Amino acid sequence: MSRKVDSVKDINDSKETWRLVVRIMDVWSVVNNKGIEHLEMIVMDSLGDRIQVLIRHDHLLKWKEVIKENMTCIINNGSVYNNDFQWKVCDHSKKIVFLGGTTMKAIELQNIPPKGYFFKDFGEILQGKCKTDRLEDIIGAVSEINHIQSNTPGKKVVVSVVLKDLK
């Protein structure tokens, strides 16, 4: 008999073995200033709860070609840590880190919605009803570019913009 499936909202650091049935909502590669790459992704369960996942550089080769955006899968045995990312993409206070013993099996599921966006209203942002370390989905238009900083080789371009609410 297989193990019970855990809900994303119930993930905490009280135990070491988890079994999640999720959809990979987004996956991206991060390269640090030393040129070391790792993967990050957001997974969501059938209840709509999301958590950020990290795949360290030493496990990258095992997972990079396997993980596909929008796939549904069962993930077993990731390690749980506090979500200490500089920029968070969901509200969960924890993150999952893939380890050598982490397994993932692709399965076809219809009960987890496809990739979606969780738009934040401009009014809430203007009223300060948002977290300053959280990346939010918004709908708007760039109405003005204030500043572009791109003169540092090997660094990301930093752009300061003014957005206009399209409502």
Side-chain angles (χ1 to χ4, degrees):
M1 187 167 123
S2 62
R3 280 189 351 226
K4 170 188 163 290
V5 172
D6 297 293
S7 296
V8 166
K9 71 177 179 195
D10 295 331
I11 291 180
N12 58 57
D13 51 11
S14 69
K15 65 180 190 174
E16 294 183 13
T17 56
W18 295 94
R19 181 177 178 85
L20 299 173
V21 177
V22 295
R23 180 177 302 276
I24 297 173
M25 304 302 286
D26 204 355
V27 61
W28 62 96
S29 176
V30 177
V31 179
N32 70 14
N33 58 0
K34 295 178 183 172
I36 298 171
E37 180 183 15
H38 70 269
L39 289 180
E40 292 181 26
M41 61 183 173
I42 306 167
V43 299
M44 183 173 78
D45 66 13
S46 63
L47 301 174
D49 294 308
R50 301 178 297 156
I51 191 166
Q52 212 160 337
V53 178
L54 170 75
I55 300 171
R56 298 183 331 207
H57 68 93
D58 50 337
H59 297 288
L60 190 64
L61 289 177
K62 177 180 178 182
W63 296 109
K64 194 168 186 175
E65 298 304 318
V66 175
I67 292 173
K68 303 290 182 219
E69 198 169 292
N70 208 34
M71 74 183 283
T72 51
C73 57
I74 300 172
I75 299 173
N76 290 294
N77 303 334
S79 191
V80 177
Y81 296 95
N82 287 331
N83 187 348
D84 60 356
F85 287 118
Q86 180 180 4
W87 302 106
K88 294 162 183 63
V89 292
C90 56
D91 286 328
H92 207 294
S93 65
K94 302 295 180 187
K95 67 181 175 189
I96 297 173
V97 178
F98 276 29
L99 302 172
T102 301
T103 62
M104 184 175 76
K105 179 182 178 186
I107 55 172
E108 284 296 320
L109 290 173
Q110 302 303 319
N111 66 333
I112 303 175
K115 181 176 179 172
Y117 296 93
F118 299 84
F119 292 111
K120 185 67 136 178
D121 187 86
F122 261 87
E124 291 180 47
I125 294 169
L126 293 173
Q127 294 170 15
K129 295 181 180 177
C130 59
K131 296 178 181 177
T132 57
D133 64 347
R134 166 93 190 263
L135 298 174
E136 300 287 357
D137 295 328
I138 60 170
I139 298 176
V142 174
S143 67
E144 184 180 333
I145 297 176
N146 287 337
H147 177 73
I148 299 174
Q149 177 184 340
S150 63
N151 58 354
T152 310
K155 299 284 183 179
K156 295 180 181 168
V157 175
V158 176
V159 180
S160 173
V161 298
V162 175
L163 296 176
K164 182 177 179 183
D165 189 352
L166 292 180
K167 268 204 275 188

